Amino acid sequence: MASETSDATEGETTALALKILVAGGFGVGKTTLVGAVSEIRPLRTEELLSEAGQLVDDTDGVDRKVTTTVAMDFGRITIRSGLSLYLFGTPGQDRFWFLWDELSQGALGAVVLADTRRMEDCFPAVDYFEHRHIPFVVAVNCFAGARTHGAQNVSRALDLDQGTPVVLCDARDRDSGKEVLIRLVEYAGRMHTARLLDSVS
């Protein structure tokens, strides 16, 4: 979490910039979500899938995918006056996980994107954030032709801690993505407040 000071026409106001991670399995829509909601031109580090990568990248169910993120995606969205979110999209493949520890430092929370056709792909991200006590929401990216599952069914399938939000979304739609981010900020705020109160009680 970081704060920065900006000059306003009527004196100084403090603008808050919060760091958010967007995580999930390979081909789940992380780059799409960051690009859809970002108010600036997003930074992308995508490369074409290679023949060598076919041996390690499972494209079953996402066979039309031709690129992959090799470092991170970055975007920014202003939620309201004085509150901006800096979005860091993580790479989905295991071989790039050494980047996750660096990207997660100072993060308020995370969005774990899930694809019900490949639900097991988001297990590692869920485990990562649960073990590090980083608040997260699961956002089910509703792909065309995929079977629709309710939030409770997804929560049970992922064995989420009680209270972890599960929301349905369309990663291509700005308003849908913004609602996911608002839900995360609200949830993370409650979690951080509860921990602060526990530490002083």
Side-chain angles (χ1 to χ4, degrees):
M1 193 183 311
S3 60
E4 56 187 24
T5 303
S6 61
D7 292 330
T9 54
E10 298 180 3
E12 292 187 348
T13 60
T14 300
L16 188 62
L18 304 175
K19 182 179 183 180
I20 302 294
L21 299 187
V22 179
F26 175 67
V28 76
K30 301 179 295 295
T31 298
T32 300
L33 177 65
V34 172
V37 302
S38 181
E39 63 198 15
I40 61 172
R41 182 178 180 181
L43 168 69
R44 292 181 172 148
T45 58
E46 288 194 304
E47 295 292 339
L48 290 173
L49 292 172
S50 65
E51 289 186 18
Q54 291 177 357
L55 301 174
V56 291
D57 294 331
D58 179 11
T59 58
D60 185 37
V62 289
D63 50 312
R64 290 189 294 177
K65 184 173 176 60
V66 296
T67 62
T68 186
T69 298
V70 295
M72 68 172 187
D73 300 309
F74 174 77
R76 185 190 72 211
I77 180 173
T78 301
I79 296 296
R80 57 171 172 75
S81 178
L83 176 59
S84 297
L85 304 182
Y86 290 168
L87 309 175
F88 292 81
T90 65
Q93 300 98 312
D94 293 354
R95 66 184 183 278
F96 295 123
W97 272 36
F98 65 93
L99 294 169
W100 282 47
D101 288 338
E102 290 292 331
L103 290 175
S104 64
Q105 288 187 19
L108 174 78
V111 173
V112 175
L113 273 175
D115 178 352
T116 57
R117 301 169 302 178
R118 298 158 54 102
M119 190 68 77
E120 67 280 359
D121 287 1
C122 68
F123 287 162
V126 168
D127 289 342
Y128 182 91
F129 296 121
E130 283 184 344
H131 288 142
R132 287 161 180 78
H133 306 290
I134 297 174
F136 68 95
V137 301
V138 173
V140 180
N141 194 5
C142 298
F143 288 90
R147 184 178 173 192
T148 302
H149 295 272
Q152 288 185 338
N153 290 337
V154 171
S155 182
R156 282 195 296 269
L158 296 177
D159 193 25
L160 298 177
D161 291 340
Q162 187 174 5
T164 302
V166 176
V167 294
L168 305 182
C169 75
D170 181 344
R172 303 165 300 179
D173 182 77
R174 176 179 170 83
D175 289 338
S176 180
K178 187 174 180 179
E179 285 302 315
V180 170
L181 295 171
I182 291 171
R183 185 80 177 270
L184 170 62
V185 170
E186 292 173 346
Y187 175 65
R190 291 195 301 271
M191 293 292 290
H192 285 293
T193 299
R195 290 171 186 169
L196 181 61
L197 292 175
D198 286 343
S199 68
V200 297
S201 61

